[in-house]
Each structure stands twice: as structure tokens, then as C-alpha cells.
């Protein structure tokens, strides 16, 4: 089977949730936060792919790729649109301080692992003046994690491994750019953790392939399906 980070994450949260989402096609509705996040990701991709420079260019990319779904009314939509605009204005103010060369935008990686195929997409790949590479993932929420918290971040490790296996580049840094708060947190890439990660990916893909979809109710309070799932332990939250 083909496994991405999203599929890996969802299965680890709850195998039954994986079945609902990827086999039964139960879509999770967009919210204002998730809709804005998609709009910002698309705007930044277009901006850097065109190698554009001005704030006007960035805001034009935002307008062209604005996603209007997920908002309960026009007033809420406008409020979130303005919020996104302020985030991008702040992002653009920080751009002159960048000393790296962007060598990949929305760069896909694909590689075989065991009987399966691993596929993913990184937001950005930068090269530093000294030749080191940095994998960058955008986050658009207000909360941010410390270096200690990101050291074992599964998503960053998954992306770092993908870049190394599929693109032939060993990243020196794995970073999250918290664009809404103007903060970037970076951790060194640790190749010693690759074997354990590969083992986790293969075991998860094997379990999915075997149809092992037992419910794990520990994740119920955070699950978007908690009100309708027959196994939910958090219907009233």
C-alpha cells in the first residue's frame, strides 16, 4: 500500500478513525482555522514558486488562492480573511532577513519501503550558504512548540527521512515556521532514529493492509467523528 504521514498519523490516533476517513470516505468538514491554513499554505507556495518579491505579489497570491469554504457567514469569513492578510504581512516583513536559498516548494518525495510505498510533500526545502539543507513545515496556528518538544516530532522526522531517502539530500535541520506568530523553531536531523521510524511505518502499513481497524477510544475527545462513531467514548463533549 501507499502510506503518507497523514495516513500514518490517523491510524496511530485510532485505527477505526482511519477506516472512517480513508476507506469509508467520511470527510472532516472545514473549519475557519483549517480553511485559512489551506489558503495561507497555497499563497506561500505560489509566492515562492514564482520567486516573487513584493508584498503586493504575496497578497495577490493570497487573493487568487483564497478558499471561501468552512465559514458560517460572510462576516466571519471577512474577519478570518483579514487575519490571514495580517499574517502574510508579518511574514513578508521577515523575508529580508532570510539568508537561505529556497530550492524546493511543495516538493514531493516517493520511495519504496518493505512491501509498501512512502509518499509525502514538504512545504519547503532551503539551502544555507554553507551548503546545509533545512526542511521547513508551515504551521498557521498560534501555539508553538519548543526545541525539546520538536526533537521527537513524528511529522518532521517523517519528512526528513523522505528527503533523505527519495531526494538524496541529508537535511541538517528540521524546522517549523509558525507563520502566525513569526517564530521558527529548528532541531537537528538525527539519522540514528531512522531505523525505528522505518519500522513504525512498515508495521503501520502492514496493519492497514491486513484490515486491522480496532477502535482506540483514548483519542475520542479529540476526534471529529466522536458524535456519530459507534465506538465513541466522548459523544457528549
Amino acid at each position: 500500500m501507499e502510506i503518507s504521514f497523514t495516513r500514518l498519523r490517523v491510524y496511530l490516533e485510532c485505527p477505526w478513525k482511519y477506516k472512517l476517513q480513508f476507506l469509508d470516505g467520511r470527510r472532516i468538514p472545514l473549519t475557519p482555522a483549517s480553511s485559512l491554513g489551506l489558503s495561507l499554505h497555497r499563497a506561500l507556495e505560489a509566492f515562492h514558486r514564482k520567486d516573487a518579491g513584493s508584498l503586493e505579489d504575496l497578497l495577490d497570491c493570497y487573493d487568487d488562492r483564497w478558499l471561501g469554504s468552512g465559514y458560517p457567514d460572510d462576516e466571519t469569513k471577512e474577519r478570518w480573511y483579514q487575519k490571514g492578510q495580517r499574517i502574510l504581512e508579518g511574514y513578508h516583513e521577515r523575508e529580508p532577513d532570510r539568508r537561505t536559498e529556497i530550492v524546493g516548494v511543495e516538493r514531493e518525495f516517493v520511495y519504496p519501503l518493505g512491501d509498501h510505498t512512502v509518499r509525502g510533500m514538504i512545504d519547503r526545502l532551503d539551502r544555507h550558504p554553507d551548503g546545509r539543507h533545512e526542511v521547513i513545515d508551515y504551521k498557521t496556528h498560534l501555539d508553538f512548540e519548543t526545541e525539546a518538544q520538536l526533537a521527537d516530532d513524528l511529522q518532521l522526522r517523517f519528512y526528513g527521512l523522505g528527503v533523505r531517502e527519495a531526494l538524496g539530500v541529508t537535511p541538517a535541520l528540521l524546522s517549523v515556521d509558525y507563520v502566525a506568530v513569526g517564530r521558527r523553531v529548528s532541531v537537528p536531523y538525527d539519522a540514528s532514529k531512522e531505523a525505528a521510524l522505518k519500522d513504525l511505518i512498515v508495521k503501520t502499513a502492514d496493519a492497514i493492509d491486513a484490515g486491522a481497524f480496532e477502535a482506540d477510544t483514548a483519542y475520542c475527545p479529540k476526534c471529529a467523528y466522536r458524535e456519530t462513531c459507534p465506538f465513541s467514548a466522548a459523544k457528549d463533549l
Side-chain angles (χ1 to χ4, degrees), residues 159-234:
Y159 289 167
L161 177 62
V163 167
R164 182 170 155 97
E165 289 289 321
L167 306 183
V169 173
T170 300
L173 295 172
L174 306 176
S175 301
V176 176
D177 192 333
Y178 297 96
V179 295
V181 293
R183 184 184 182 103
R184 182 177 297 182
V185 182
S186 302
V187 294
Y189 181 69
D190 187 353
S192 69
K193 298 178 179 179
E194 287 182 351
L197 177 55
K198 288 180 178 179
D199 185 58
L200 175 64
I201 294 171
V202 169
K203 286 182 176 179
T204 303
D206 285 344
I208 295 170
D209 219 16
F213 299 118
E214 298 83 2
D216 182 350
T217 57
Y219 186 75
C220 288
K222 298 180 181 179
C223 185
Y225 304 121
R226 66 178 181 270
E227 294 181 1
T228 57
C229 176
F231 301 106
S232 176

Side-chain angles (χ1 to χ4, degrees), residues 109-177:
F109 59 81
V110 183
Y111 65 95
L113 184 61
D115 296 327
H116 310 289
T117 299
V118 182
R119 182 184 296 272
M121 188 86 71
I122 59 171
D123 289 332
R124 232 173 77 190
L125 181 64
D126 283 21
R127 182 166 55 227
H128 288 251
D130 61 3
R132 294 179 304 150
H133 285 82
E134 179 180 4
V135 173
I136 299 172
D137 187 53
Y138 297 130
K139 298 295 184 189
T140 56
H141 49 70
L142 294 176
D143 299 327
F144 60 87
E145 296 182 289
T146 64
E147 291 180 13
Q149 291 170 316
L150 284 183
D152 289 316
D153 185 87
L154 185 59
Q155 184 175 18
L156 286 181
R157 290 169 55 206
F158 188 97
Y159 289 167
L161 177 62
V163 167
R164 182 170 155 97
E165 289 289 321
L167 306 183
V169 173
T170 300
L173 295 172
L174 306 176
S175 301
V176 176
D177 192 333

Side-chain angles (χ1 to χ4, degrees), residues 28-43 62 65-72 76-77 80-81 84 140:
I28 298 176
L30 286 171
T31 64
S34 61
S35 185
L36 179 63
L38 286 171
S39 297
L40 293 174
H41 273 79
R42 293 173 179 179
Y62 182 49
R65 287 154 184 82
W66 167 254
L67 182 62
S69 305
Y71 302 96
T76 302
K77 183 190 300 185
W80 281 82
Y81 173 86
T140 56

Side-chain angles (χ1 to χ4, degrees), residues 10 13-21 28 219 223 225:
V10 172
E13 288 171 353
C14 174
W16 186 257
K17 180 186 177 184
Y18 181 97
K19 178 183 179 299
L20 293 178
Q21 187 167 335
I28 298 176
Y219 186 75
C223 185
Y225 304 121

